């Protein structure tokens, strides 16, 4: 299933929330949002959870009523505590600049918020529109999402062959599996953790060297005291042994004199 992502302003018909900005000559508030133009089956392919309403169908074509799907973050910020279904938003105006006429789009579904930029950044709210109702035309590039039970890397060549069979001038590039996309998103956090571990280990080694140096310096400064204490200990031990020897000799003499 295909999709096109861009950024733009979404005007809201009935909301006065502080999140909305205002600029003349438009009487409606607007918010900066991620705009995604998708084909039917996009949310099912990406396993994006449907919170309320419905997703796009084959009946959402250019002549039919213009519809839109918003994510939970957009709905909570623009219509807090309200049911977003059947609310109207606008991304395009007709007429001249003095009297712009909004082309209202009816919200028919609410889906879960998606981290488009990275796993760490929550990102802005998102609004989805049928690719067949893109007011800016279909000349922009589109990405294709495919879910398969087989090896996705092996399927890439088949997809490229099918696209070239339809239009040989259509470039096919930046083919990645979802695991590769997630791995790329995690590269920076992993690098940060690796560097943190490296610097922590280096800090531990430097701290150990510093403690050893302090202890060695303190021991070196007190060598003479240690030597004095050792000499004093030997002197006291010598005197004790000498005194003990004299006492033993005296006892022997006393015992000998008793017998005489």
């Amino acid at each position: 299933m295909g999709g096109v992502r861009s950024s733009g302003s979404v005007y809201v018909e009935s909301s006065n929330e502080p999140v909305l900005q205002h600029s003349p000559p438009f009487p409606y508030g607007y918010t900066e949002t991620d705009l995604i133009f998708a084909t039917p089956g996009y949310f099912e392919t990406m396993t994006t959870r449907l919170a309320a309403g419905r997703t796009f169908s084959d009946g959402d074509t250019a002549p039919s009523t213009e519809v839109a799907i918003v994510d939970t973050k957009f709905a909570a910020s623009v219509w807090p505590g309200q049911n977003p279904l059947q609310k109207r938003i606008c991304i395009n105006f007709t007429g001249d600049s003095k009297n712009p006429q909004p082309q209202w789009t009816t919200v028919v579904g609410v889906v879960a918020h998606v981290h488009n930029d990275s796993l760490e950044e929550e990102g802005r709210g998102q609004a989805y529109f049928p690719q067949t109702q893109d007011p800016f035309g279909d000349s922009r590039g589109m990405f294709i999402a495919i879910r398969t039970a087989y090896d996705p890397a092996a399927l890439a060549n088949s997809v490229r062959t099918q696209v070239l069979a339809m239009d040989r001038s259509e470039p096919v590039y930046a083919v990645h599996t979802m695991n590769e996309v997630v791995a790329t998103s995690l590269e920076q956090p992993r690098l940060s953790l690796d560097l943190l571990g490296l610097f922590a280990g280096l800090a531990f080694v430097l701290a150990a060297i510093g403690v050893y140096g302090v202890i060695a310096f303190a021991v070196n400064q007190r060598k003479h005291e240690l030597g004095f204490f050792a000499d004093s200990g030997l002197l006291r031990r010598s005197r004790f042994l000498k005194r003990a020897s004299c006492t033993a000799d005296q006892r022997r003499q006393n015992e000998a004199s008793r017998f005489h």
Side-chain angles (χ1 to χ4, degrees):
M1 296 300 120
V4 178
R5 179 190 172 200
S6 62
S7 299
S9 300
V10 174
Y11 289 82
V12 182
E13 181 184 29
S14 55
S15 178
N16 294 316
E17 293 302 315
V19 69
L20 298 178
Q21 307 176 53
H22 295 81
S23 63
F26 307 113
Y28 311 103
Y30 70 93
T31 180
E32 295 298 324
T33 307
D34 287 343
L35 307 179
I36 299 98
F37 298 89
T39 60
Y42 174 79
F43 299 104
E44 292 77 7
T45 301
M46 300 299 294
T47 64
T48 304
R49 181 178 59 87
L50 179 65
R54 68 174 179 87
T55 58
F56 298 137
S57 67
D58 293 332
D60 297 321
T61 59
S64 63
T65 302
E66 295 186 359
V67 296
I69 295 174
V70 297
D71 73 338
T72 51
K73 182 175 182 179
F74 183 98
S77 61
V78 175
W79 303 295
Q82 303 180 45
N83 183 5
L85 299 180
Q86 301 305 310
K87 298 288 188 181
R88 297 204 300 175
I89 60 178
C90 169
I91 58 172
N92 186 41
F93 290 83
T94 60
D96 55 37
S97 58
K98 296 181 180 179
N99 187 28
Q101 299 298 318
Q103 301 299 300
W104 293 114
T105 300
T106 304
V107 176
V108 296
V110 180
V111 295
H113 179 70
V114 177
H115 291 232
N116 283 324
D117 297 317
S118 70
L119 296 178
E120 294 181 335
E121 298 180 11
E122 184 177 0
R124 300 183 296 187
Q126 294 140 13
Y128 299 84
F129 304 89
Q131 191 269 337
T132 53
Q133 296 180 356
D134 186 351
F136 308 110
D138 57 358
S139 59
R140 293 179 294 180
M142 174 178 287
F143 65 86
I144 300 176
I146 300 176
R147 177 172 293 275
T148 177
Y150 305 99
D151 182 13
L155 186 64
N157 291 330
S158 299
V159 173
R160 185 177 285 105
T161 301
Q162 292 297 324
V163 172
L164 294 177
M166 292 185 293
D167 186 356
R168 298 197 62 84
S169 63
E170 187 69 32
V172 179
Y173 60 95
V175 179
H176 303 289
T177 65
M178 187 55 67
N179 289 337
E180 292 173 347
V181 173
V182 174
T184 301
S185 178
L186 293 175
E187 281 182 356
Q188 185 62 39
R190 285 175 178 170
L191 177 60
S192 300
L193 289 176
D194 291 341
L195 290 176
L196 179 62
L198 175 63
F199 288 128
L202 181 61
F204 176 79
V205 172
L206 292 176
I209 295 175
V211 171
Y212 171 79
V214 171
I215 294 175
F217 177 77
V219 171
N220 185 64
Q221 290 293 105
R222 302 188 63 180
K223 274 185 177 180
H224 65 286
E225 297 180 15
L226 295 175
F228 172 76
F229 291 150
D231 292 343
S232 299
L234 290 175
L235 179 61
R236 286 194 297 268
R237 178 178 174 81
S238 176
R239 290 178 178 177
F240 174 77
L241 292 176
K242 185 176 181 181
R243 184 179 302 172
S245 176
C246 293
T247 304
D249 292 342
Q250 188 175 3
R251 286 179 180 177
R252 284 195 295 270
Q253 291 177 1
N254 292 335
E255 290 177 357
S257 62
R258 288 177 184 178
F259 289 106
H260 293 292

